[in-house]
Amino acid sequence: MQSSNSRIEVLLGDITKVRVDAIVNAANSSLMGGGGVDGAIHRAGGSAILEECKRIVARQGGCPTGEAVITTGGNLPAKYVIHTVGPVWHGGSHQEEEKLAECYLNSLKLAVANHCKTIAFPNISTGVYHFPKEKAAHIAVRTVKEFLQKETSIEKVIFVCFDAENALLTQEEINKA
Ligand code: AR6
């Protein structure tokens, strides 16, 4: 089996352009779209994504922080979008770190349940939600590495970073033993 590190990559760029089985969206609980990567995904993927989000909300209500739901990728090169809701950073004493780890874990579980072999993540919560980037990179990479050690069906996890600082921090975490 390939080591978990060889199945993790960093890419500097736009996640809406990445051809994988599933891309992850840093959404909010309403699932009704927003700014940042959420806005970019809905713009590029078209109305089919929002229509499916509306059906999910009608069924279960919104998506709580740390949880994830899956929709079509619409017009995106990715087959699916996994929408997860990151924590807003409130100083670190409101379970922000646990919730961020749950985002990655629940997204990966949903990917496996939907037979996805390749998945791309943005740097969840590090934009509008102001989670410190270094801490977020540590949690993201640790959670993915631990998951890949147990789950062999995922062939590739790509961290698609929109800024050089996140790309560097994420790569540094991957390089750690
Ligand atoms: N591809 C990859 N990463 C991107 C892209 C893109 N096209 N666009 C932005 N990023 P944010 P959050 C990066 O603010 O902090 C939304 O309004 C961005 O540089 O998108 O989890 C939602 O609706 C940053 O590193 O998400 C929520 O209300 C990362 O994606 C709220 O923002 C996350 O930044 C969620 O806030």
Side-chain angles (χ1 to χ4, degrees), residues 13-15 26-28 33-38 40 123 125-129 160 162 166:
D14 179 353
I15 202 166
N28 61 63
V37 69
D38 195 6
N123 296 105
S125 283
T126 66
V128 175
Y129 283 177
V160 183
F162 208 53
N166 263 325

Side-chain angles (χ1 to χ4, degrees), residues 1 9 14-15 21 37 40 58 67 78-79 83 124 130 138 144-145 150 154 157 165 168 174 176:
M1 188 195 34
E9 268 176 30
D14 179 353
I15 202 166
D21 294 330
V37 69
E67 294 189 14
K79 189 169 174 201
H83 307 259
I124 301 164
H130 291 299
H138 177 71
V144 167
K145 273 187 187 175
K150 285 176 284 179
I154 299 276
V157 176
E165 189 189 2
L168 189 67
I174 294 168
K176 285 184 191 167

Side-chain angles (χ1 to χ4, degrees), residues 26 65 85-104 123-140 142-143 163 165-166 169:
T65 303
V85 181
V88 178
W89 181 259
H90 287 299
S93 58
H94 293 76
Q95 292 188 305
E96 291 96 329
E97 299 193 22
E98 293 89 332
K99 291 290 170 195
L100 187 63
E102 281 174 26
C103 286
Y104 285 93
N123 296 105
I124 301 164
S125 283
T126 66
V128 175
Y129 283 177
H130 291 299
F131 203 106
K133 288 180 181 177
E134 195 172 348
K135 247 188 228 308
H138 177 71
I139 292 163
R142 186 195 61 207
T143 307
D163 61 278
E165 189 189 2
N166 263 325
L169 290 167

Side-chain angles (χ1 to χ4, degrees), residues 15-64:
I15 202 166
T16 66
K17 306 272 196 279
V18 179
R19 188 172 296 277
V20 281
D21 294 330
I23 63 168
V24 175
N25 181 18
N28 61 63
S29 300
S30 79
L31 297 177
M32 290 299 105
V37 69
D38 195 6
I41 287 172
H42 280 279
R43 270 195 306 279
S47 58
I49 299 176
L50 188 61
E51 290 311 314
E52 222 178 312
C53 284
K54 284 181 183 166
R55 287 198 288 276
I56 292 168
V57 171
R59 209 167 54 230
Q60 69 164 53
C63 183

Side-chain angles (χ1 to χ4, degrees), residues 63-86:
C63 183
T65 303
E67 294 189 14
V69 301
I70 190 165
T71 67
T72 173
N75 301 328
L76 294 167
K79 189 169 174 201
Y80 299 109
V81 177
I82 293 174
H83 307 259
T84 189
V85 181

